Amino acid sequence: MREETQAKKQIDAIKGTKDILPCEAGEWRRVEGVTKGIFELYGYRELRAPVFEATELFERGTGQTSDIVIKEMYTFKDKAGRSLTLRPEYTPSVVRSIIENRLYLQPEPMRYYYIGPMFRYDKPQKGRYRQFHQVDIEVFGEKDPAIDAEIIEMAHHLLKTLEVGETETLVNSVGCAACRPAYLRELRVEAQKVKEALCPDCQRKVIANPLRIFDCKVETCRELSRTFPQIINFLCAECEEHFKLFCSYLDLYQIAYRVEPHLVRGLDYYTKTAFEVISGKLGAQNALLGGGRYDDMMKQFGGPDICAIGFAMGMERLLSAVKPRVTKNSFLYFVYMGEESKKAAMGLARYFRENGIECLLEFKDRGLKNQLSRANKLEANWVLIAGEEEVARNRYQIKNMKTSEQKEGSREEILKVLLENK
Ligand code: HAM
């Protein structure tokens, strides 16, 4: 009895995951298509990496002190006892792939993009999911701050094309291995002074990595962190020059930006430039995209010393900010009566589909009137009636459902009409 009740119990999707239903998938495909098209205009090529990787990749890449690694990874053991993780982000996978496939030896610009699912065990809310989709771009081997500005310009190009509306661009520099240690020392001293008032997580961060206190969502920690020293005041000459030039290139592109000295982003790998584009349309989870430079990751992974920069954008957030376009497929609905005309309709549908016409043939025992009202309900553009008489004569009637205009002809003549009016 218990088993029977259990068997009947509805199984729902896992919390924080969502179905992309047929009525939404068209818009997803359109946005993905526009996105890929724009990235290709800038010389980016698609690189598809696996959904799961060795856990160590993210521990070393995303970083041991990041919230993602500490709290949010979907980590499991496979049957051979290896620790694997569903990727929480894409950046470390790209770096791994470049090293493993020695892509740096190819005579191609090292610019890659990818769109796919990521996984983070965070608290679900509007705009924050446990399986979400990122559009990710990464550039390697470009030291010049002009590329930092160009990827932001590319993001704006995309947002403008998709009619996202108003956004704000926040920029900062998080320094490098040369200038950050002195800043961290200073930051630790200041954080230590207010340690008791910080949340337990941040109290740990004071020693482990005080930079991560800036990622905390607890209001007291946020308020206190606003009084902490700012990394932008500790930059070495090289980082300062890089930031100055980067800002001047944004000016050249006429991209408005705000320097946000507390923007350090929640990942451990950033060096120099860090940025986010936020939108007022998104509610609490307002970051549409975020990224920055990570000049040391490739070297730290045992690869060549190649600098890098990139960003990732949340597809769910992007889709809730774009101006939607309603696109409907145009299709032909078949109406038939009896076994012989059904067989004729099956052959005709095959012929039309082979010639690029979308056809819908339903195998239900419905009367003529019922089939016509079904075509109406489904908003078919055309109806083809394959009655006994039509089949015998090998000539068919099609009806334009918008204008009610009817035409008769052989299958070739009908195909011509359909193609002309597609
Ligand atoms: P991130 O800031 O962690 O950066 O994520 C980038 C974007 O992914 C966010 O701005 C947001 O739109 C979206 N996103 C993140 N988490 C969620 C979630 N739980 N639900 C829905 N959307 C989410 C990175 O992932 C870096 N890998 C970006 C990067 C690339 N830096 C350099 N290259």
Side-chain angles (χ1 to χ4, degrees):
M1 181 65 193
R2 234 188 101 232
E3 255 172 40
E4 202 175 291
T5 338
Q6 259 183 354
K8 280 187 184 160
K9 206 174 146 224
Q10 182 177 317
I11 301 170
D12 291 331
I14 302 298
K15 191 174 164 191
T17 71
K18 279 204 319 174
D19 300 311
I20 299 165
L21 298 173
C23 59
E24 302 161 313
E27 185 63 356
W28 274 72
R29 272 205 309 274
R30 180 183 79 84
V31 171
E32 284 166 359
V34 171
T35 304
K36 290 177 182 181
I38 288 179
F39 292 166
E40 303 229 342
L41 287 179
Y42 289 74
Y44 290 75
R45 297 292 175 260
E46 191 173 16
L47 189 160
R48 299 187 190 190
V51 167
F52 56 86
E53 302 264 8
T55 301
E56 200 193 342
L57 181 79
F58 302 109
E59 287 172 348
R60 280 172 51 191
T62 311
Q64 296 277 13
T65 66
S66 67
D67 278 356
I68 293 181
V69 169
I70 295 172
K71 299 190 245 176
E72 298 171 6
M73 294 210 299
Y74 277 94
T75 297
F76 59 96
K77 287 242 157 78
D78 72 1
K79 291 197 193 305
R82 282 173 293 240
S83 180
L84 305 178
T85 291
L86 297 183
R87 60 181 181 211
E89 59 148 341
Y90 203 58
T91 311
S93 298
V94 182
V95 177
R96 178 205 47 73
S97 175
I98 291 172
I99 299 171
E100 199 171 332
N101 298 295
R102 300 178 20 124
L103 295 183
Y104 48 85
L105 299 178
Q106 303 289 326
E108 286 165 1
M110 295 172 71
R111 298 181 177 206
Y112 309 101
Y113 74 81
Y114 177 69
I115 304 179
M118 307 291 150
F119 308 85
R120 293 185 193 175
Y121 191 82
D122 203 348
K123 215 169 163 193
Q125 63 175 88
K126 184 176 175 280
R128 193 204 280 151
Y129 309 101
R130 289 183 173 167
Q131 174 175 328
F132 59 99
H133 298 76
Q134 273 189 351
V135 169
D136 183 279
I137 68 105
E138 312 287 353
V139 184
F140 296 86
E142 291 275 21
K143 246 210 219 115
D144 195 311
I147 194 72
D148 307 31
E150 195 195 70
I151 65 170
I152 294 179
E153 188 269 328
M154 179 168 78
H156 278 266
H157 183 164
L158 174 62
L159 298 177
K160 191 170 159 209
T161 308
L162 291 170
E163 298 179 78
V164 163
E166 220 166 286
T167 57
E168 195 179 4
T169 303
L170 313 177
V171 300
N172 195 21
S173 174
V174 294
C176 67
C179 52
R180 201 173 312 151
Y183 169 69
L184 288 180
R185 270 197 301 278
E186 189 77 17
L187 182 60
R188 197 167 276 127
V189 169
E190 291 307 309
Q192 196 77 47
K193 288 183 190 160
V194 294
K195 192 172 168 191
E196 296 310 309
L198 295 170
C199 75
D201 250 8
C202 286
Q203 293 192 3
R204 272 192 299 275
K205 290 174 181 175
V206 175
I207 303 299
N209 184 359
L211 206 59
R212 296 278 69 93
I213 298 174
F214 291 109
D215 306 332
C216 186
K217 290 153 196 156
V218 176
E219 199 42 52
T220 346
C221 302
R222 288 173 74 106
E223 239 167 68
L224 286 168
S225 69
R226 273 183 218 120
T227 66
F228 290 167
Q230 301 174 349
I231 190 155
I232 200 112
N233 298 322
F234 287 76
L235 299 182
C236 60
E238 189 191 309
C239 287
E240 201 175 289
E241 179 64 10
H242 189 97
F243 190 62
K244 216 172 86 197
L245 275 169
F246 161 57
C247 292
S248 76
Y249 294 134
L250 286 179
D251 293 337
L252 177 92
Y253 283 127
Q254 296 184 318
I255 291 171
Y257 58 89
R258 178 158 60 86
V259 179
E260 174 52 67
H262 293 116
L263 180 81
V264 295
R265 308 218 351 98
L267 306 139
D268 285 352
Y269 48 68
Y270 290 119
T271 53
K272 297 192 170 83
T273 311
F275 61 91
E276 271 181 13
V277 175
I278 59 175
S279 158
K281 286 185 187 170
L282 297 176
Q285 299 305 313
N286 65 353
L288 206 47
L289 66 96
R293 220 165 235 288
Y294 51 103
D295 289 345
D296 302 331
M297 194 193 289
M298 182 95 71
K299 187 173 52 189
Q300 280 163 2
F301 277 10
D305 186 3
I306 297 177
C307 63
I309 184 165
F311 69 73
M313 171 154 41
M315 273 295 286
E316 287 78 2
R317 294 186 195 178
L318 178 63
L319 272 141
S320 68
V322 301
K323 192 170 169 198
R325 292 257 166 87
V326 189
T327 42
K328 268 207 90 229
N329 286 7
S330 141
F331 73 96
L332 167 67
Y333 189 88
F334 278 80
V335 171
Y336 60 87
M337 298 298 293
E339 190 59 22
E340 279 320 300
S341 72
K342 173 173 135 190
K343 283 181 182 158
M346 288 165 77
L348 277 173
R350 184 184 206 182
Y351 169 75
F352 288 138
R353 286 173 181 144
E354 279 170 358
N355 286 285
I357 301 295
E358 183 179 331
C359 298
L360 183 62
L361 189 53
E362 290 187 303
F363 303 103
K364 307 260 176 8
D365 199 12
R366 291 192 178 108
L368 181 72
K369 235 175 107 187
N370 244 335
Q371 292 187 52
L372 285 168
S373 78
R374 173 90 180 141
N376 235 331
K377 214 183 208 163
L378 295 176
E379 295 180 25
N381 302 70
W382 300 91
V383 165
L384 184 144
I385 300 168
E388 257 173 50
E389 214 186 293
E390 284 89 352
V391 175
R393 286 197 297 129
N394 226 344
R395 290 183 74 76
Y396 304 91
Q397 292 263 347
I398 49 163
K399 183 176 173 186
N400 183 326
M401 296 297 277
K402 243 195 219 131
T403 61
S404 293
E405 199 187 334
Q406 303 221 16
K407 284 216 161 88
E408 201 209 80
S410 65
R411 65 176 203 176
E412 288 77 13
E413 285 162 351
I414 286 179
L415 175 66
K416 207 164 157 248
V417 175
L418 292 171
L419 288 174
E420 275 165 9
N421 292 282
K422 215 175 158 188

